[in-house]
Amino acid sequence: INMTISCLCKEGKLGEACSLFDEMGKRGLSPNLVTFNTLISGHCKKGQISDAYKLLTVMVEQGICPNIVSYSALINGHCKEGRLEEACKLFEEMKGRGVIPDGVIFTTLIDAHSKVGTIEAALNLHDEMLKQGIKLDVVAYNALVHGLCRAGKLKEVKRFLDLMVKTGLVPDKITYTILVDGFCKEGNLEKALEMRNKMVMRGMKMDNVCYTALITGLSRQGKVADAHNMLHEMLKAGFMPD
RNA sequence: AGCCGGUGGCCCC
């Protein structure tokens, strides 16, 4: 039944998922943690964050303790709706309930701060992760690196890339795309192309996202011919522009 | 066992 609710949520049929949930209640079936988490996530993805929070309240009333996943979904939902302050409050609430934050939650918050430009806060969260002995993974670094790129701190980025490698992590396609895009937006096309080459040399395939970043970068710098060539390469590689 | 949470381009805004 959780699978069914999950499928409905993924198809965007939140209403049907909720009916099923209500039906469960009427038949005396009790939803479990995963049922609630699935619905919380479903509501959040539709931007219905206050309903999502209500579900959290309901589960508590029913004696089910929200876990890290419940809060992750809820906090991410708030972040995506631009309610970072409330997301932070939820983070505190969560910790108050004795739920130990993990890397995913931190990454969610780091990403949110990066996006609104409070990169300092993102960096503080990074420090806190280290202090708490939570290992950063590639996703966490990508969020940080992206934030630094957006803040124009391309120099700082290097430090984190080194740190990342030192930790034994391997930058992935997304890391490189962030860097390609970051250098493009900074107007440093040479570096951008260098990143692309590195990416390909390390066995990662270019995809349409990375191509689009490069092509728009080139064309915005007036390098129309290069942009055209790149577009050709992209088409030859079998990607359709979108 | 399975089902629920985090990161990339353009476009839209």
Side-chain angles (χ1 to χ4, degrees), chain A residues 46-239:
Chain A
K46 287 222 156 190
Q48 302 173 4
I49 52 178
S50 46
D51 289 332
Y53 188 74
K54 257 177 232 153
L55 279 163
L56 191 97
T57 327
V58 172
M59 69 194 279
V60 172
E61 280 167 11
Q62 301 198 3
I64 300 172
C65 283
N67 70 351
I68 189 79
V69 175
S70 327
Y71 275 103
S72 275
L74 199 55
I75 287 175
N76 187 237
H78 280 74
C79 289
K80 294 271 143 71
E81 289 296 305
R83 315 287 284 267
L84 183 49
E85 296 215 349
E86 283 161 84
C88 294
K89 275 184 203 147
L90 285 165
F91 186 54
E92 295 306 320
E93 177 188 310
M94 177 190 97
K95 289 190 281 188
R97 281 213 163 98
V99 178
I100 309 294
D102 66 1
V104 173
I105 279 260
F106 271 108
T107 304
T108 304
L109 291 169
I110 285 175
D111 180 54
H113 273 110
S114 293
K115 282 186 174 129
V116 301
T118 44
I119 188 69
E120 290 306 326
L123 293 172
N124 287 338
L125 286 165
H126 166 254
D127 292 341
E128 205 178 321
M129 283 178 85
L130 295 183
K131 263 183 227 150
Q132 308 208 1
I134 300 170
K135 285 212 173 65
L136 279 84
D137 62 7
V138 177
V139 176
Y141 275 107
N142 286 348
L144 258 179
V145 166
H146 196 192
L148 290 168
C149 285
R150 271 189 288 245
K153 307 198 174 204
L154 276 290
K155 284 277 175 196
E156 291 262 332
V157 164
K158 213 164 268 156
R159 219 180 80 217
F160 283 96
L161 287 176
D162 292 342
L163 198 59
M164 185 172 175
V165 174
K166 230 176 268 171
T167 324
L169 296 170
V170 182
D172 64 6
K173 188 168 74 176
I174 295 185
T175 318
Y176 284 109
T177 304
I178 291 167
L179 294 170
V180 165
D181 180 56
F183 282 119
C184 277
K185 288 191 169 134
E186 199 198 35
N188 194 341
L189 293 175
E190 270 179 44
K191 271 289 204 178
L193 288 167
E194 193 185 313
M195 288 301 135
R196 175 196 97 126
N197 293 337
K198 231 179 217 177
M199 167 175 166
V200 175
M201 271 186 327
R202 297 195 176 164
M204 279 157 270
K205 276 193 187 157
M206 291 283 288
D207 63 11
N208 57 339
V209 174
C210 196
Y211 271 119
T212 310
L214 260 179
I215 292 167
T216 48
L218 287 166
S219 56
R220 280 182 188 163
Q221 302 289 315
K223 308 236 176 193
V224 183
D226 290 337
H228 268 93
N229 288 336
M230 196 61 70
L231 180 60
H232 247 92
E233 191 187 313
M234 172 176 161
L235 294 174
K236 228 169 42 188
F239 292 109

